[in-house]
Amino acid sequence: MTARDITPLQKAFYDVIFGTETPAGKWFDITLIVVILASVTIVMLDSIGHLHADWGWLFWQVEWVFTVLFTIEYLVRIWCSPNRKAYVLSVYGVVDLLAILPTYVALVFPQAASLLIVRLLRILRIFRVLRLLAFLNEANMLAGALRRSTRKIFVFFSMMMIITVIFGCLLYVVEGPKSGFDNIPISIYWAIVTITTVGYGDVVPLTALGRAISATGMLIGYAIIAVPTGIITAELASGLRGNHLTTRNCSQCSRAGHDLDARYCKYCASDLPPLSRDGK
């Protein structure tokens, strides 16, 4: 994905919308944060029954104002972007699209306004709050740690699945239907609830052997519950030590992890914002 030539007017809009180095860019970001928080607040208030009954029509009108504003912003971002495809397919580009689609979908299907699917689509507007992550360098650092931890977390998750299946099958054999363990899936559900130390208590072993197996599962749960936290913490510490990389994110694809002297994004070749005063 290569960058395209843009006009001086597009460059001016690009510097304000995608950049934070100019006073206008900073004010644009602050204004956008306030509008995002206001729109999410309206969604939450509209979900309260008596407020929806009294102010539902006003909430709907305000929501349309927010939707129009976000639609204009999304289209302007595409218009002024040197690499449109990189922005549209980026995480934040998808989130920007999700922020405006639900209102239009509800408009296309007005007869289904009372159906759960439309309510779910309207609640998808809450994803606007994810756009706040675009303004935090620390979010890029955490996202990088999660990406580097993916394989280790997957191995840990696989190990936990094996352990829960073993414990579930053991309890199914030991306890059986008379104690509520009617089948293996229910038994595995009990094992997950037990090993994660949630303990709903809807299915419990009654025999001494079953309780002994349960106690073992609980102790294993306490022993390994901190493993994912340790993995991610180690990756975060590694990222903090790796001062040869910066946490600045590309304004097009929103990915971080560039070298200190990098001028272009190594993922989409777009111009990178200059380093901040703290070198990040």
Side-chain angles (χ1 to χ4, degrees), residues 170-238:
L170 284 176
L171 262 294
Y172 174 71
V173 172
V174 172
E175 294 291 333
K178 66 180 184 298
S179 300
F181 296 84
D182 298 325
N183 50 58
I184 292 179
I186 289 180
S187 302
I188 293 175
Y189 158 79
W190 165 87
I192 294 173
V193 170
T194 300
I195 292 179
T196 56
T197 69
V198 176
Y200 289 128
D202 49 348
V203 182
V204 294
L206 301 179
T207 66
L209 180 58
R211 290 174 178 174
I213 296 174
S214 299
T216 304
M218 295 175 197
L219 293 176
I220 290 177
Y222 275 115
I224 63 179
I225 198 170
V227 171
T229 305
I231 292 174
I232 297 174
T233 302
E235 292 295 343
L236 275 174
S238 176

Side-chain angles (χ1 to χ4, degrees), residues 35-252:
V35 174
I36 292 171
L37 292 176
S39 68
V40 172
T41 301
I42 291 296
V43 174
M44 293 181 178
L45 293 176
D46 193 32
S47 67
I48 302 175
H50 68 276
L51 292 181
H52 177 77
D54 296 336
W55 304 97
W57 178 244
L58 177 61
F59 289 153
W60 181 248
Q61 291 178 315
V62 174
E63 174 53 36
W64 266 109
V65 173
F66 287 134
T67 299
V68 171
L69 290 176
F70 287 130
T71 302
I72 294 174
E73 183 224 355
Y74 178 69
L75 295 176
V76 171
R77 284 181 182 272
I78 295 176
W79 170 71
C80 70
S81 173
N83 196 327
R84 292 176 176 176
K85 187 175 181 181
Y87 165 69
V88 171
L89 298 180
S90 68
V91 174
Y92 294 116
V94 174
V95 171
D96 290 347
L97 182 61
L98 285 177
I100 61 177
L101 276 183
T103 305
Y104 292 113
V105 172
L107 182 65
V108 174
F109 300 103
Q111 303 301 325
S114 60
L115 298 181
L116 178 61
I117 184 62
V118 175
R119 292 185 61 192
L120 290 176
L121 287 172
R122 293 181 65 190
I123 295 303
L124 278 178
R125 298 195 300 264
I126 204 73
F127 279 101
R128 289 172 183 166
V129 76
L130 292 178
R131 302 184 62 189
L132 298 177
L133 296 178
F135 305 101
L136 301 176
N137 285 331
E138 290 77 5
N140 294 316
M141 184 180 298
L142 179 59
L146 291 174
R147 282 195 298 268
R148 294 190 298 271
S149 305
T150 300
R151 291 172 64 97
K152 299 172 186 176
I153 296 296
F154 176 76
V155 172
F156 173 78
F157 180 78
S158 300
M159 182 187 68
M160 291 301 301
M161 288 299 299
I162 293 173
I163 291 176
T164 55
V165 169
I166 291 174
F167 272 90
C169 292
L170 284 176
L171 262 294
Y172 174 71
V173 172
V174 172
E175 294 291 333
K178 66 180 184 298
S179 300
F181 296 84
D182 298 325
N183 50 58
I184 292 179
I186 289 180
S187 302
I188 293 175
Y189 158 79
W190 165 87
I192 294 173
V193 170
T194 300
I195 292 179
T196 56
T197 69
V198 176
Y200 289 128
D202 49 348
V203 182
V204 294
L206 301 179
T207 66
L209 180 58
R211 290 174 178 174
I213 296 174
S214 299
T216 304
M218 295 175 197
L219 293 176
I220 290 177
Y222 275 115
I224 63 179
I225 198 170
V227 171
T229 305
I231 292 174
I232 297 174
T233 302
E235 292 295 343
L236 275 174
S238 176
L240 290 172
R241 289 194 299 268
N243 54 12
H244 61 288
L245 299 178
T246 68
T247 57
R248 57 178 171 163
N249 60 309
C250 173
S251 57
Q252 291 297 308

